[in-house]
Amino acid sequence: MAASLAWAAGFVAAKHGVSIGFTPYDLAFHRFFWSGLLLIPLVLRAGVTDLGGIGWGRGFIMSILSGPVQAVTAYTGFILVPLGHGTTIQPACAALFGMILAALVLRESVAPQRIFGGIAIVGGLLVFGWESLATIGTHGVGGDLLFATAGIFWATFGTPAPLGDPDRSKEITGLMPAVNPRRRISRAAAGSKPPGTSRSGASLRRSQWQS
């Protein structure tokens, strides 16, 4: 419940920020840079050479899926469509694709009730898409698709959590923008991987993430 309230408050704050003149990049910077600075000591303690066994390459991928890139994608949607679209479509897509990825990747069983819930989510998303096209126009559908993409990013980030250390993942995700906020996207796209050395327990954690 607390997480849901915090997520909803974040949506409202983002929409308000866009409305008063902040760009999506401004919002993403302030969301991640300052918190990233606070998390640096935790990452240093875990081992910065290989990001505590996660690895720099995987760390940048995680940062794309749940960090600044995901945030900018969602915040851009608020420029195109009303607040209610973002607060509904992004969490719905995260839940829907999280269920799909859990079944395909983690081999979790899907109860009939969950399947019915997924079908209901798809129906609701189609209603939102039709409403956007009818009342806003094609750019409204584009905004909805941005929220859907952000939700899929979030679901993809959360899927490997049972295979690794979710607390360590949060530290790494918060650290990436603080390490280099201006180059975080370009370095991730280029697949850059700073040199590192192995540390105690790192190989085990790597095998868990790769399995």
Side-chain angles (χ1 to χ4, degrees), residues 36 38 57 74 100 113 148 151 154 174 180 198:
L38 295 177
I100 295 173
Q113 297 90 332
W154 189 258
N180 196 333
S198 60

Side-chain angles (χ1 to χ4, degrees), residues 90-144:
Q90 182 174 334
C93 287
L96 178 63
F97 281 87
M99 179 179 66
I100 295 173
L101 290 173
L104 296 178
V105 179
L106 303 180
R107 307 301 186 195
E108 292 184 1
S109 60
V110 181
Q113 297 90 332
R114 296 178 66 187
I115 296 176
F116 177 79
I119 294 174
I121 289 175
V122 172
L125 292 173
L126 291 175
V127 170
F128 267 93
W130 175 84
E131 188 268 342
S132 293
L133 186 61
T135 61
I136 303 175
T138 54
H139 67 281
V141 177
D144 289 346

Side-chain angles (χ1 to χ4, degrees), residues 22-183:
F22 284 96
T23 69
Y25 298 97
D26 294 332
L27 296 174
F29 175 85
H30 288 292
R31 174 181 171 181
F32 289 100
F33 181 74
W34 307 112
S35 59
L37 290 178
L38 295 177
L39 290 173
I40 284 178
L42 298 178
V43 178
L44 292 176
R45 184 182 64 182
V48 71
T49 54
D50 63 351
L51 291 184
I54 292 177
W56 280 87
R58 186 173 290 110
F60 278 112
I61 293 175
M62 292 165 57
S63 182
I64 291 174
L65 294 175
S66 66
V69 174
Q70 190 265 358
V72 169
T73 301
Y75 297 157
T76 304
F78 284 121
I79 300 175
L80 303 174
V81 294
L83 173 65
H85 286 239
T87 57
T88 303
I89 295 174
Q90 182 174 334
C93 287
L96 178 63
F97 281 87
M99 179 179 66
I100 295 173
L101 290 173
L104 296 178
V105 179
L106 303 180
R107 307 301 186 195
E108 292 184 1
S109 60
V110 181
Q113 297 90 332
R114 296 178 66 187
I115 296 176
F116 177 79
I119 294 174
I121 289 175
V122 172
L125 292 173
L126 291 175
V127 170
F128 267 93
W130 175 84
E131 188 268 342
S132 293
L133 186 61
T135 61
I136 303 175
T138 54
H139 67 281
V141 177
D144 289 346
L145 290 176
L146 287 172
F147 287 124
T149 301
I152 294 172
F153 275 17
W154 189 258
T156 306
F157 164 77
T159 299
L163 305 178
D165 186 342
D167 292 331
R168 185 69 50 77
S169 302
K170 289 183 289 185
E171 295 172 11
I172 300 307
T173 303
L175 171 68
M176 291 297 110
V179 172
N180 196 333
R182 293 183 178 275
R183 296 177 58 195

